[in-house]
Amino acid sequence: MASEDITKLAESLAKTKVGGGQLSFKGQSLKLNTAEDAEEVIKQIEEFDGLEALRLEGNTVGVEAAKVIAKALEKKSELKRCHWSDMFTGRLRSEIPPALISLGDALIAAGAQLVELDLSDNAFGPDGVRGFEALLKSPACYTLQELKLNNCGMGIGGGKILAAALKEGHRKTSAQGKPLALKIFVAGRNRLENDGATALAEAFGIIGTLEEVHMPQNGINHPGITALAQAFAINPLLKVINLNDNTFTEKGAVAMADTLKALRQIEVINFGDCLVRSKGAVAIADAVKEGLHKLKELNLSFCEIKRDAALTVAEAIEDKTELEKLDLNGNCLGEEVCEQLHEILEGFNMASVLGSLSDDEGEEDDDEEEEDEDEEEEEEEEQQQLKERGAEEQESLTPKKIIDSQASTPVPSPPVDVATFLAFPSPEKLLRLGPKCSVLIAQQTDTSDVEKVVTTLLRISSVFKDEAPVKTAVHETTDALMKKAFSSATFNSDAFISNLLVHMGLLKSEEKIKTVPSLYGILMTLNHMVQQDYFPKSLAPVLSAFVTKPNRALDSCSFARHMLLQTLHQL
């Protein structure tokens, strides 16, 4: 290690904060790659008597450094709180699990009894969950009260692994007569979707001691929301439920409303941007009116709630003396209803609790909402039928003889064509189109039609994954499509970028256009696309301007957004 590096490290460590049993290296941007790099950190850990909390946020720890830090932690039996968020900046995903295993094994060896474990903002994916799975099942976490895993990219697989570990921990602790009593669970921005949320709901139902659950921006639809609602009903101490930016629709909202009627300690309900719509809002209002006397905050913003439903919500809070904030911004009310809301709350002497209505979308026809709900129900039914059909096809392709003989010969998957992939895109379908998938999709897309090009690009990018085969297939297919489009004399590049921004929800349109549910795939695909020779460099400033603007959908994909902006800046 160079002398200037040692000097720099020493200066950073001079900022280390010590107090109340806590040793903090927070935000020092330490780059700990080797054992030598970590020497000063280890020294401070070893010399700290009665270490109860260790803060390593805002640094980057490699595999070798993690091993020697772990060695120092093996003697710290009093450690209770591990603040280890944003601890692997710039690391390969493959580096994170072994680092976590080393640190976890040290805590187990030390006989530590953790109260808080925070691994948020570490993009470790499903494999990363394997890295601390053993720790969660061990006696070191039998006393765990707070588990924070925000923005870790766990996905469905990681959610299932996590749920299984929590259930195992509860089983072991129950056998000892002191069941796991988890109070706070945080796992926003993890792409858990329905299956991941349902697996965790099962764990929550078994645990039963939760006080706060934060799971915003996870792509959960009504089946997952319903499963969570059922689990929350058996957690009577719940005070905070934050499911912002998932998709309830009426079914999920009604299920959640039924659960709220059974809970008595609720203080914060954050269902903003959850598409509860009017019927769902009325159901939630009924639950609020019947009880929830400790309610401090109710967020139903950006939920496509209409006039009568919004007024019903306002009337429901009449006797909620603890209420500090009611957020109904971004709904479809119109000026007249906004004024009525103020009048109702003034009548209750509660005008101050109503949040801003500056983003109100204006009054819409009820017929439009019914059409939207019908379309969503039809789409859900089609997807369910497709799943069932796929299962039946798979079953019919598996002869009983093969099962009985336990032969290892793989059963062929049903064939996929371009139309099937574009109708219901998935990574598996794209790969099953074969090595010529890029050519096939480009050939079957009318590139003279800007709308069709944008739609096809969004369908392709929606299946993007960091896994090499899928990533390569998405890039190659995108290249074939867009090279064909941009090389056509009739293709309007300006219209393309405008249309794309509208579908991404970054540019408003006079027409009602359904935006993509997640921007992660298209942002990562654009990051590749803008670097190619076929991409008109004149479009880069336009793209950069809109991606830079504040936007909740972009905020939920901060990594992908940063990558794209960095690339655009270098062009």
Side-chain angles (χ1 to χ4, degrees), residues 216 393 396 435 500:
E393 288 173 356
S396 67
L500 179 62

Side-chain angles (χ1 to χ4, degrees), residues 473-488:
V474 168
H475 286 172
E476 289 178 351
T477 308
T478 298
D479 289 343
L481 173 69
M482 298 314 303
K483 189 174 183 180
K484 178 186 174 186
F486 284 126
S487 62
S488 170

Side-chain angles (χ1 to χ4, degrees), residues 229-302:
Q230 293 167 349
F232 293 164
I234 357 177
N235 282 265
L237 302 176
L238 264 175
K239 295 178 182 178
V240 178
I241 302 176
N242 176 7
L243 294 172
N244 189 286
D245 200 7
N246 289 291
T247 307
F248 281 41
T249 62
E250 182 189 346
K251 291 179 183 177
V254 168
M256 196 60 73
D258 289 341
T259 285
L260 291 174
K261 291 176 182 178
L263 299 174
R264 295 288 176 266
Q265 306 300 320
I266 291 291
E267 296 179 3
V268 177
I269 297 171
N270 187 344
F271 297 159
D273 209 6
C274 282
L275 206 67
V276 303
R277 292 215 171 100
S278 294
K279 292 178 183 177
V282 169
I284 292 168
D286 288 344
V288 170
K289 191 171 185 176
E290 288 183 22
L292 305 187
H293 296 293
K294 295 184 179 181
L295 189 64
K296 293 180 179 178
E297 182 178 335
L298 176 60
N299 185 345
L300 293 174
S301 60
F302 299 92

Side-chain angles (χ1 to χ4, degrees), residues 174-189:
S174 297
Q176 293 186 0
K178 291 184 178 180
L180 174 67
L182 191 66
K183 293 181 180 179
I184 298 174
F185 180 83
V186 181
R189 300 183 182 181

Side-chain angles (χ1 to χ4, degrees), residues 108-121:
I108 297 168
Q113 293 186 315
L114 295 185
V115 173
E116 179 180 359
L117 177 61
D118 186 354
L119 292 169
S120 298
D121 300 313

Side-chain angles (χ1 to χ4, degrees), residues 70-263:
K71 195 71 179 172
L73 291 175
E74 286 180 2
K75 298 175 184 177
K76 300 299 173 182
S77 60
E78 296 176 10
L79 189 61
K80 293 180 174 63
R81 298 183 183 275
C82 297
H83 301 280
W84 294 349
S85 63
D86 190 20
M87 199 174 78
F88 299 106
T89 304
R91 299 288 167 188
L92 295 173
R93 186 173 286 185
S94 58
E95 292 181 83
I96 302 176
L100 288 173
I101 289 169
S102 296
L103 294 166
D105 287 349
L107 297 176
I108 297 168
Q113 293 186 315
L114 295 185
V115 173
E116 179 180 359
L117 177 61
D118 186 354
L119 292 169
S120 298
D121 300 313
N122 290 311
F124 46 59
D127 291 340
V129 185
R130 292 283 188 204
F132 61 93
E133 179 186 14
L135 174 63
L136 283 180
K137 295 178 181 178
S138 77
C141 284
Y142 285 2
T143 50
L144 195 65
Q145 295 179 14
E146 301 180 28
L147 180 58
K148 300 174 181 178
L149 300 165
N150 201 56
N151 194 29
C152 290
M154 291 190 291
I156 294 170
K160 289 182 176 180
I161 296 166
L162 176 60
L166 289 172
K167 288 191 289 184
E168 179 67 7
H170 188 271
R171 184 190 67 77
K172 288 179 177 179
T173 50
S174 297
Q176 293 186 0
K178 291 184 178 180
L180 174 67
L182 191 66
K183 293 181 180 179
I184 298 174
F185 180 83
V186 181
R189 300 183 182 181
N190 271 292
R191 289 178 283 169
L192 294 169
E193 301 181 18
N194 289 332
D195 290 348
T198 301
L200 285 166
E202 188 178 336
F204 296 162
I206 292 169
I207 292 168
T209 56
L210 289 166
E211 295 180 12
E212 295 185 21
V213 176
H214 303 263
M215 296 174 65
Q217 299 176 350
N218 268 299
I220 309 169
N221 299 326
H222 76 79
I225 296 297
T226 301
L228 288 171
Q230 293 167 349
F232 293 164
I234 357 177
N235 282 265
L237 302 176
L238 264 175
K239 295 178 182 178
V240 178
I241 302 176
N242 176 7
L243 294 172
N244 189 286
D245 200 7
N246 289 291
T247 307
F248 281 41
T249 62
E250 182 189 346
K251 291 179 183 177
V254 168
M256 196 60 73
D258 289 341
T259 285
L260 291 174
K261 291 176 182 178
L263 299 174

Side-chain angles (χ1 to χ4, degrees), residues 3 11 80 124 275 301 306 357 377 385 421 460 505 553 555:
S3 59
E11 288 173 356
K80 293 180 174 63
F124 46 59
L275 206 67
S301 60
K306 306 290 173 62
L357 296 171
E377 286 176 8
Q385 288 170 4
F421 166 73
I460 295 165
D555 290 342

